[in-house]
Amino acid sequence: MNFAFPYAFLFLIPLIFYFLVDRLIGKKKAEVPFSALAFFGDKPPVTWRTATMFLPKFLFMISLICGIVALAGPQKVTESVGRPKEGIAIELVLDRSSSMETVLLESLPPQKRIVSAKKAIDSFVFGNSDAGLEGRPNDLIGLITFARYADTVYPLSVSHHSLRPIIESLQTPLGSESEDGTNIGDALALAAARLKTADERSDYKAVSRVIILLTDGENNVGEKTPEEAAALAEEWGIRIYAIFFGGRGYINYYGQRFPVLNNPAGFQDLMRIAESTGGQAFRVRNAEELLSVYAEIDMLEKTPFEVSSLVRTEDRYRPFLTASVLLLFLSVILSLTVYRREE
């Protein structure tokens, strides 16, 4: 418990002085100037009233002490940690084109690229002790997905509690030609624009801005080229980390298996884009390598962060004030009734 006005306890000094003086005077008054009490005959009987004559004065003293404590302003102080004030702003850009349905034979066990990608992103954001990932609870994180079109599915936010179900619900447009495609350029441009606006936030300072792109193909639709989008990112001081998700595999389509081959040229394009912004490009073939790349990026993008804290104080003087008033009232009543001195 803290006290708002601790100097109020100085009033205890005269109170203690008064108590000591009163005790000394009381002892002197009790002295009997006779050689023996036999002069008075038998001793007067001790009654409950005479034995408790000190009670009104005692209650008065306790009342004053409670009043001094109330005057000192006792408080209960609680500190709550609020949302982070600064950190890294990260846009996760995920390819969800139909080729992400590829079942990777090099993953153990074999699983679809889209499944591996969702697990890796979840581990990156929320942590995975097995992969050495602590999570990013203090960073500003958003999620953009793309196939033929780029969509913001989760805006930049420090609160990530609702991001996990969104990641789990992501699906590819397999079988829908009107929705399928690989629009890397527009997705990167959208991510860069979202990160640029992060500087305009008054509640959060982005000390670094990063795009983490995950794709398994080459840009084949869209208004902007990946190079144009990378130029915007470079201009706005945004780094791009590009992950090319290759590996041998096949797609199940209408009950048949179709082998999938990746063009190595796609990785070369991503490398040029990433390096132009000061970032890096990575090539992975399975779920294990993908998770290790996110762990590497996690280590590269570490920065001290500041978290806001809110200190709440709750006044606790009322019980002491109430006790002081009640004890004072009781002391006066007893002095005027039960312990009233006879004239």
Side-chain angles (χ1 to χ4, degrees), residues 137-172:
N138 303 300
D139 291 325
L140 201 65
I141 293 181
L143 176 61
I144 292 173
T145 63
F146 66 93
R148 178 172 290 273
Y149 307 103
D151 301 298
T152 300
V153 296
Y154 195 80
L156 286 167
S157 175
V158 183
S159 178
H160 310 145
H161 62 277
S162 58
L163 177 57
R164 174 168 277 165
I166 291 176
I167 294 173
E168 293 174 352
S169 66
L170 294 176
Q171 302 291 334
T172 65

Side-chain angles (χ1 to χ4, degrees), residues 102-112 246-250 257 259 285-286 288:
T102 301
V103 178
L104 294 174
L105 298 173
E106 297 179 60
S107 294
L108 297 173
Q111 58 184 253
K112 296 179 181 179
R248 296 183 299 109
Y250 61 88
R257 288 187 177 186
R285 298 169 299 170
N286 53 53
E288 292 74 24

